[in-house]
């Protein structure tokens, strides 16, 4: 991930980011930060870059030409490379609020160019030509954009794989959406006569997790009633979904993993948006005379046609979050909605899948499959995370997903290989929606329980992270359905329906 800062005070940004975690990540080559001085592009003999605003008014404006030339110098080599994802952010109090979601979106780019203004702003004409995103870090006015640029670089950099030295990748980390962190304590046990809560010393991880969740809920209710309201609504949805747990496990897990936004709810009809996978999930367990989708769907279409591509906040239940634009991918949980949804959103029904869910809390047995201590089995088999050097093997052997998607999964630490000695014999992974999948065993190595070993490994990994392991199996894939049942997963009786562009 590369950050390019355009500023009148580049040393301020470089200095600020050269220490601590961003500094270390840059030294290790995990991120790259450069800064260009816009003044170096002035054509004025006194190196001026500002002038009076037409129409009068207080203060000076940064002129278009030096900003444009600085931007061109930085971006020309980037745009000459095909498929490079480049965004140009202008930091301004007039921008969209910077949130964790925005940081995640920016982290998917290859290059972020961040333009810092000074004085009273920048000539509008150059902004029109170069800026892709207008971003504000809060409702206050700073003297320049440099601090805002540093905030954005810091928040995005920590999402780049390898920047934080966590053993859990960001995707398999257990996390509760919409809740603030619980309080934390370190040594000594007593300080200023205050004791660390007893439960944290008990060694009972289940009780510790329960206490932490309770504290998170209490703290959120007290300090951020707005977030608490979203959490409460999501819990209500979860209760409804739990009445058909196997059918709805995709939606339930999106909620549990903090990746769900509530887009629409009316009675038992629920529409969620998966923030990591960009997928919409719809369910309406109640038989109605006519399937609707309209209050959401047609409302969305109307707004799309009138030029606004997001739902108006006012149209949503209070506290619900605004969705993205029209869905590219929608998973329906009732067949009777297919025709309506296809027509409304110009989508096509591409896949029918059944959920296979591991409902037990105890780990699956691994004896005869792999060694949990990471040492090789008698036949030399180990299971290990895959890295960039394995990407070609995965891309060649798994054609159902795009090469970019597979490379992204590897980069996120979500793909695992079965190795016989040095030889990669097969792989499996965790999709961006949280489901287990992408299972492949090379024909040469089949009938050696390698598929079982890989899937059991992923089931146990997800259990360790406090998640419910599940996968989506195409309903005509008998071999896979049989494997699931053999491994102790339950297959849902009713399938789900994937609609895509
Ligand atoms: N520049 C000045 N104030 C700002 C703010 N609040 N956010 C982003 N950029 C800024």
């Amino acid at each position: 991930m590369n950050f390019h800062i355009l500023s009148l005070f580049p040393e301020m940004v470089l200095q600020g980011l050269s220490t601590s975690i961003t500094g270390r990540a840059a030294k290790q080559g995990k991120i790259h930060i450069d800064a260009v001085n816009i003044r170096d592009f002035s054509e004025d003999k006194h190196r001026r870059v500002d002038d009076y605003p037409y129409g009068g008014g207080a203060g000076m404006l940064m002129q278009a030409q030096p900003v444009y030339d600085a931007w061109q110098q930085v971006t020309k080599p980037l745009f000459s490379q095909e498929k490079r994802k480049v965004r140009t952010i202008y930091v301004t109090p007039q921008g969209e609020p910077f949130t964790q979601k925005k940081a995640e979106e920016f982290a998917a780019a290859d290059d972020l160019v961040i333009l810092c203004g000074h004085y009273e702003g920048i000539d509008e004409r150059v902004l029109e030509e170069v800026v892709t995103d207008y971003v504000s870090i809060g409702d206050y006015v700073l003297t320049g954009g440099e601090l805002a640029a540093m905030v954005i670089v810091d928040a995005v950099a920590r999402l780049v794989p390898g920047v934080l030295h966590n053993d859990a990748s960001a995707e398999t980390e257990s996390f509760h959406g919409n809740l603030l962190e619980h309080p934390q304590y370190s040594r000594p046990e007593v300080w200023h006569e205050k004791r660390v809560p007893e439960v944290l010393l008990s060694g009972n991880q289940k009780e510790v997790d329960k206490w932490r969740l309770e504290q998170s809920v209490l703290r959120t209710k007290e300090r951020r009633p707005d977030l608490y309201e979203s959490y409460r609504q999501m819990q209500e949805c979860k209760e409804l979904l739990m009445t058909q747990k196997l059918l709805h496990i995709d939606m339930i897990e999106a909620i549990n993993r903090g990746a769900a936004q509530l887009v629409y709810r009316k009675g038992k009809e629920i529409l969620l948006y998966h923030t990591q996978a960009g997928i919409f999930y719809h369910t309406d367990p109640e038989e109605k005379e006519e399937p609707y989708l309209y209050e959401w769907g047609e409302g969305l279409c109307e707004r799309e046609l009138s030029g606004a591509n997001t739902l108006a906040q006012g149209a949503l239940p209070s506290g619900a979050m605004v969705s993205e634009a029209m869905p590219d991918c929608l998973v329906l949980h009732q067949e009777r909605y297919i025709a309506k949804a296809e027509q409304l959103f110009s989508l096509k029904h591409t896949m029918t899948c059944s959920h296979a869910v591991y409902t037990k809390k105890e780990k699956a047995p691994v004896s005869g499959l792999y060694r949990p201590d990471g040492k090789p089995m008698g036949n030399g088999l180990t299971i290990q995370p895959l890295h960039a050097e394995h990407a070609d093997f995965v891309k060649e052997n798994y054609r159902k997903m795009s090469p970019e998607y597979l490379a992204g999964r590897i980069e996120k630490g979500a793909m695992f290989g079965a190795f016989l000695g040095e030889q990669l014999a097969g792989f499996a992974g965790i999709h961006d929606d949280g489901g287990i999948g992408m299972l492949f065993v090379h024909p040469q190595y089949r009938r050696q329980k390698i598929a079982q070993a890989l899937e059991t490994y992923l089931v146990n990994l997800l259990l360790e992270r406090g998640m419910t392991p599940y996968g989506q199996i195409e309903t005509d894939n008998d071999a896979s359905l049989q494997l699931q049942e053999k491994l102790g997963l339950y297959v849902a009786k009713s399938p789900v329906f994937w609609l895509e562009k």
Side-chain angles (χ1 to χ4, degrees), residues 171 386 393-395 397-410 412-418 425-442 451 454-455 458 470-474 477 480 483-484:
E171 299 243 340
L386 293 182
F393 181 87
V394 174
K395 289 175 195 171
N397 291 298
Y398 201 82
R399 304 280 175 156
K400 276 197 231 168
M401 307 303 293
S402 73
E404 294 80 35
Y405 178 83
L406 295 169
R409 293 287 80 208
I410 293 174
K412 285 266 159 86
M415 293 294 293
F416 297 83
F427 55 81
I430 302 168
H431 279 290
D432 56 6
D433 62 5
I436 295 173
M438 298 169 281
L439 178 61
F440 169 80
V441 178
H442 197 276
L454 280 164
E455 189 162 334
L458 291 178
Y470 78 95
Q472 302 205 334
I473 321 295
E474 288 192 58
N477 189 346
S480 181
L483 172 65
Q484 308 310 317

Side-chain angles (χ1 to χ4, degrees), residues 91-93 135-138 140-145 148:
V91 280
T92 161
V135 176
S136 163
I137 62 158
Y140 40 79
V141 182
L142 303 167
T143 55

Side-chain angles (χ1 to χ4, degrees), residues 52-61 120:
Y52 294 99
Y54 282 116
M60 305 290 270
L61 275 189
E120 290 305 309

